[in-house]
Amino acid sequence: MNRRTFLLGTFATTAAIALGVNLYSPEFSSTDEQTEGKDYRLLFSVLLPVLLDGALPEVASHKLAAQNRTLDAINQSIAALSESQQDELFQLLDMLENRLGLLVLTSSMTPLLMRSPSELTQMLENWRYSYFSLMQTAYLGLRELVMASFYACPEHWSRIHYAKPVLFK
Amino acid sequence: MAIVDPIINGLNSGWLHTDGSQLKENQQFEADVVIVGTGAGGGVAAEILSQAGLSVIMIEAGQLRSSTDFNMEERVAYPNLYQQAAAMKTSDKAIGIFQGRSVGGSTTINWTTSIRTPTEALAFWEQQKSVKGLSRETLDPWFEQMEQRLNIHEWKFEPNRNNAALKQGCINLGWDYTVIKRNVAGCWNTGYCGMGCPVNAKQSMLVTTIPSALDKGAQLFSRVKVVKIEHHNGKVLALKAQALDSNSKPTSVELMFKAKHYIMSGGAIHTPVLMMRSDVPDPHKLLGKRTFLHPVLLSGAIFSDAINGHSGAPQSIYSDEFVWKNGVAGELGYKLEVPPIHPVLMASKLLGHGKEHAEAMANFNQFQLTIALVRDGYHPDSQGGQVRLTDKGFELDYPLTETFWRAARRSFASMAELQFAAGAMKVMPVSDGMPYFTSWKDAKEGIEQMTLAPLKTVVASAHVMGGCPFGEDEKLSMVDSYGQSHYLENLSVMDGSIFPTSLGANPQLSIYGITARNATALAQKLTDGREPQ
């Protein structure tokens, strides 16, 4: 087992515990070599359908492809952040993968994967309108990362009727 | 039609360029002048000093990119050309900041708006901040020189629909508006200035002063970060730098730069940070203090017809109706402009998530965005922010005061009134919890009652100024009115960090003009010993 496999396995297991599953879902397997050591793909795969509800395609296979594309883009976005921004983001994501962290952030230890879309929506809305800046910051950080990553992909521009000009043939 | 890439051609012709990521061993370099940073200040200084016959080294932490690399996609532009991948924020995360980070600095990615320093700002600096010799009369020849050099002309074409809405609203309300001067030559009017000009029409430092300096034999180091100013007994002895790898991480290679004179042009965050990190004399503890943004508020509107805010010159109309309305030191004023609207920029600034966000994005092409740039630094309760050193670099603490929020509320009302006057169907102040209003009457009432708060109300900025102010009084300033350090005889500062307040106008032309004046004086001093009069 090389180092990357070990680390991915470790983080996948950590994520799986927090998210309430036993196996790393192969349909969300990462192909990005840049994020060695840190992989929150499963965590984001739970949040994406809620944050991007209405923006993702309705056809199941297209929806899955758009989610996978966004997960890759999120990895690339994270890699472009400064070290201190990455540290802050990883702290938040670690808390979401940890039952005690979940309790602090959501007042519940129920793993995210076991929560319904409406419960996840409620969680995000609670952060959004929280009196605590920590919660608001967590909401804004995740929201901006996901939205920016989704709309950065040219594959997702058709819905908003946007295309960059073709300058040269 | 192939676009000529002046950077690739220049490199092929033998320009002296060193990419720090390619360096394998420690080295030392010498020149008459070493300039840290290649943005509006560094670029202009490099050209003037090299034209005076001085040997010049330019050092830039960002990468050397050129039109060949500019593919008009935010996912490429932000990580390659912006500080912290365009995700920089103040320490409380309440303000997002866009700053350039590549050869050419912010001039490579700005929206080309070129405005001379407002007379009110210059008068305030002279009266309150001990700045000497910078009136509009004395500066106008320098502005004219730089306007000629950088092809700065009034935009003669029709504004795009985004800007046209601003213009129409002003006309219908009888408000002031001005056609913007832009630094472009042969502009294709595509609207992608913020991602680097793919056709080299924008007359940024990347395609003007830096190539000119390189043609004169100047040397450029990219991906090299200056980490310390070595100084002793009132004189700078050297600059210590680290080479950066392709991911902008420091390598083990250390570089040393020696010169007769050193110019700091790293911008209003990095110049003070470098000086603080180097423990330069600062007896009155001014460094990093009074750092100013133009904090920007946003108002979105939906029009019945297409706005296509991504297409066409990003800024071509502004309104100064409210900038100085309450007196220079009175309630804060704000300038009205519009920004370009591209998917990532809009998606990250629009509020909410899920269906709420998706529905707003579905109106992408009918969305008009007006922005209000608040003028900070003149009112007694508007002291700006403070740059501080941290274990991992720096942070900018920028408290938003009640005085600011009063201006924000007024600006939301002005923007909504303007957008309705321009024909908007509905208008939404970009602050969480605010609905779309369908009439100016409803918007006025709603804005009077709205809750404004950090993290709830979207605040952004692309203009950072101050933190190393100029002037003659050492209790108020770090450098004199020519940018010469009060404490280190061979150190000057030439960038937006010298401004003692914000400007009330987009800063690039102010930096060009004032740097041209100060760099010319420095060149005379270094070549024939003449001190500026």
Side-chain angles (χ1 to χ4, degrees):
Chain A
M1 178 184 287
N2 64 29
R3 180 172 175 272
R4 175 174 166 75
T5 312
F6 171 74
L7 287 172
L8 268 180
T10 305
F11 281 104
T13 307
T14 310
I17 290 169
L19 296 163
V21 294
N22 295 317
L23 293 171
Y24 185 56
S25 173
E27 65 193 18
F28 292 118
S29 61
S30 173
T31 56
D32 193 328
E33 295 294 325
Q34 287 186 308
T35 53
E36 183 174 352
K38 290 277 185 187
D39 195 314
Y40 299 95
R41 213 170 167 86
L42 189 55
L43 178 63
F44 279 111
S45 73
V46 174
L47 294 172
L48 283 194
V50 178
L51 285 164
L52 293 172
D53 186 20
L56 291 167
E58 289 180 8
V59 176
S61 59
H62 293 181
K63 184 174 185 173
L64 184 61
Q67 284 181 241
N68 275 329
R69 183 71 190 88
T70 308
L71 291 168
D72 288 342
I74 287 171
N75 276 352
Q76 289 160 355
S77 300
I78 291 173
L81 294 175
S82 68
E83 189 183 346
S84 59
Q85 287 173 317
Q86 285 186 1
D87 287 348
E88 287 182 357
L89 180 64
F90 291 151
Q91 277 178 22
L92 168 64
L93 299 175
D94 285 342
M95 285 182 80
L96 291 174
E97 286 188 339
N98 171 299
R99 285 183 183 240
L100 192 58
L102 270 180
L103 185 63
V104 171
L105 284 172
T106 71
S107 305
S108 165
M109 291 174 79
T110 304
L112 296 187
L113 197 64
M114 292 177 69
R115 300 188 192 191
S116 67
S118 64
E119 286 172 327
L120 290 169
T121 299
Q122 190 58 51
M123 175 190 85
L124 292 169
E125 289 291 302
N126 287 343
W127 290 354
R128 179 181 177 184
Y129 294 112
S130 172
Y131 288 106
F132 299 105
S133 59
L134 171 71
M135 307 294 191
Q136 282 180 290
T137 306
Y139 170 76
L140 291 172
L142 283 180
R143 193 194 72 89
E144 283 188 23
L145 176 64
V146 170
M147 296 305 177
S149 300
F150 178 79
Y151 286 103
C153 302
E155 299 94 318
H156 303 153
W157 290 345
S158 60
R159 190 180 169 277
I160 58 172
H161 309 293
Y162 171 86
K164 68 178 186 180
V166 179
L167 294 185
F168 321 109
K169 293 283 185 189
Chain B
M1 184 177 77
I3 293 297
V4 174
D5 188 324
I7 301 300
I8 289 179
N9 287 352
L11 292 172
N12 289 338
S13 75
W15 279 352
L16 298 175
H17 167 243
T18 303
D19 181 341
S21 68
Q22 303 301 310
L23 293 175
K24 303 295 178 203
E25 56 187 31
N26 299 350
Q27 292 181 64
Q28 182 173 307
F29 301 90
E30 286 191 44
D32 292 327
V33 184
V34 172
I35 302 172
V36 181
T38 59
V44 170
E47 179 175 57
I48 288 171
L49 293 161
S50 56
Q51 280 176 346
L54 296 157
S55 61
V56 171
I57 288 176
M58 298 173 273
I59 309 174
E60 170 59 53
Q63 309 165 81
L64 175 61
R65 296 287 188 187
S66 70
S67 52
T68 307
D69 303 304
F70 301 152
N71 77 341
M72 301 190 289
E73 290 190 21
E74 292 169 287
R75 60 179 175 165
V76 172
Y78 294 160
N80 284 346
L81 304 177
Y82 284 70
Q83 299 277 353
Q84 299 182 13
M88 191 197 290
K89 288 187 188 287
T90 50
S91 51
D92 64 356
K93 309 285 190 291
I95 309 176
I97 301 172
F98 299 97
Q99 289 282 281
R101 187 181 198 263
S102 68
V103 173
S106 288
T107 72
T108 303
I109 46 88
N110 71 17
W111 301 334
T112 74
T113 297
S114 304
I115 303 171
R116 296 185 184 189
T117 317
T119 307
E120 293 87 344
L122 294 171
F124 186 85
W125 295 352
E126 183 181 8
Q127 290 156 15
Q128 305 288 328
K129 300 295 174 188
S130 75
V131 176
K132 196 173 85 179
L134 278 90
S135 64
R136 271 303 282 273
E137 291 72 32
T138 57
L139 273 180
D140 274 352
W142 298 104
F143 290 137
E144 280 161 21
Q145 177 181 313
M146 292 314 297
E147 284 167 355
Q148 279 194 359
R149 171 69 184 94
L150 301 174
N151 284 291
I152 292 171
H153 300 291
E154 194 174 280
W155 182 241
K156 295 199 185 312
F157 301 91
E158 278 295 301
N160 70 4
R161 284 285 294 116
N162 202 17
N163 283 274
L166 174 59
K167 178 180 174 180
Q168 194 58 50
C170 287
I171 290 171
N172 291 350
L173 292 167
W175 290 358
D176 162 272
Y177 75 91
T178 302
V179 178
I180 286 175
K181 288 182 176 178
R182 308 181 64 225
N183 55 321
V184 293
C187 177
W188 289 35
N189 203 15
T190 58
Y192 287 72
C193 310
M195 299 173 217
C197 182
V199 297
N200 296 306
K202 177 162 53 173
Q203 303 293 284
S204 70
M205 300 301 95
L206 179 65
V207 300
T208 55
T209 58
I210 293 169
S212 162
L214 291 166
D215 285 341
K216 290 275 180 195
Q219 193 167 3
L220 170 66
F221 289 81
S222 62
R223 285 181 172 139
V224 171
K225 183 180 179 183
V226 176
V227 293
K228 195 170 182 196
I229 303 166
E230 301 284 2
H231 58 93
H232 185 64
N233 279 346
K235 192 166 182 182
V236 178
L237 305 175
L239 300 180
K240 197 172 160 188
Q242 282 179 317
L244 305 178
D245 66 17
S246 57
N247 293 316
S248 297
K249 301 277 191 299
T251 67
S252 59
V253 175
E254 292 187 350
L255 306 174
M256 190 74 88
F257 294 92
K258 293 194 168 186
K260 291 178 192 159
H261 201 92
Y262 301 82
I263 298 176
M264 300 295 115
S265 299
I269 290 178
H270 290 97
T271 289
V273 162
L274 176 59
M275 292 171 78
M276 282 191 280
R277 198 189 294 131
S278 307
D279 282 325
V280 302
D282 179 17
H284 302 290
K285 302 294 171 208
L286 297 172
L287 276 176
K289 306 259 179 65
R290 287 183 63 83
T291 298
F292 293 105
L293 305 171
H294 288 136
V296 168
L297 291 311
L298 300 82
S299 183
I302 304 292
F303 280 68
S304 57
D305 54 338
I307 294 293
N308 293 326
H310 57 278
S311 179
Q315 295 193 314
S316 53
I317 304 288
Y318 68 76
S319 172
D320 273 358
E321 177 73 18
F322 300 98
V323 183
W324 309 102
K325 202 154 198 142
N326 296 303
V328 175
E331 286 289 296
L332 309 190
Y334 44 89
K335 191 179 196 77
L336 300 178
E337 296 181 347
V338 304
I341 305 173
H342 293 282
V344 172
L345 204 59
M346 177 156 163
S348 55
K349 295 303 167 207
L350 271 183
L351 296 161
H353 62 271
K355 286 195 166 63
E356 171 191 8
H357 190 275
E359 283 167 15
M361 288 299 291
N363 289 315
F364 183 80
N365 284 333
Q366 284 156 277
F367 198 78
Q368 196 273 340
L369 195 59
T370 299
I371 56 176
L373 294 77
V374 176
R375 174 176 61 77
D376 256 354
Y378 299 83
H379 187 285
D381 294 335
S382 174
Q383 298 296 314
Q386 181 173 354
V387 175
R388 292 195 182 89
L389 299 182
T390 66
D391 290 343
K392 290 192 173 173
F394 66 87
E395 63 177 16
L396 171 57
D397 185 27
Y398 207 98
L400 294 169
T401 63
E402 275 307 306
T403 309
F404 165 78
W405 290 117
R406 286 200 301 274
R409 191 181 303 278
R410 289 195 304 276
S411 77
F412 278 130
S414 299
M415 291 189 283
E417 185 176 12
L418 177 102
Q419 289 168 314
F420 279 118
M425 292 193 301
K426 45 188 184 175
V427 170
M428 178 185 64
V430 183
S431 185
D432 213 349
M434 292 304 284
Y436 275 108
F437 296 107
T438 54
S439 73
W440 161 230
K441 179 176 173 292
D442 288 348
K444 190 177 179 186
E445 287 171 8
I447 290 167
E448 278 174 12
Q449 304 298 322
M450 73 188 282
T451 303
L452 296 162
L455 301 175
K456 182 180 180 68
T457 306
V458 172
V459 185
S461 185
H463 304 158
V464 190
M465 297 151 282
C468 183
F470 67 165
E472 302 305 314
D473 182 345
E474 293 185 8
K475 288 184 184 142
L476 297 173
S477 60
M478 285 294 295
V479 298
D480 70 15
S481 302
Y482 280 93
Q484 163 68 50
S485 168
H486 288 314
Y487 308 107
L488 297 169
E489 64 180 65
N490 57 344
L491 180 98
S492 297
V493 177
M494 297 189 188
D495 59 22
S497 71
I498 61 174
F499 300 148
T501 62
S502 77
L503 299 172
N506 306 48
Q508 74 163 339
L509 183 51
S510 292
I511 300 173
Y512 294 148
I514 293 170
T515 298
R517 168 194 184 261
N518 293 356
T520 301
L522 177 64
Q524 286 170 355
K525 182 176 158 186
L526 293 176
T527 51
D528 62 17
R530 263 190 296 149
E531 291 288 338
Q533 299 301 305

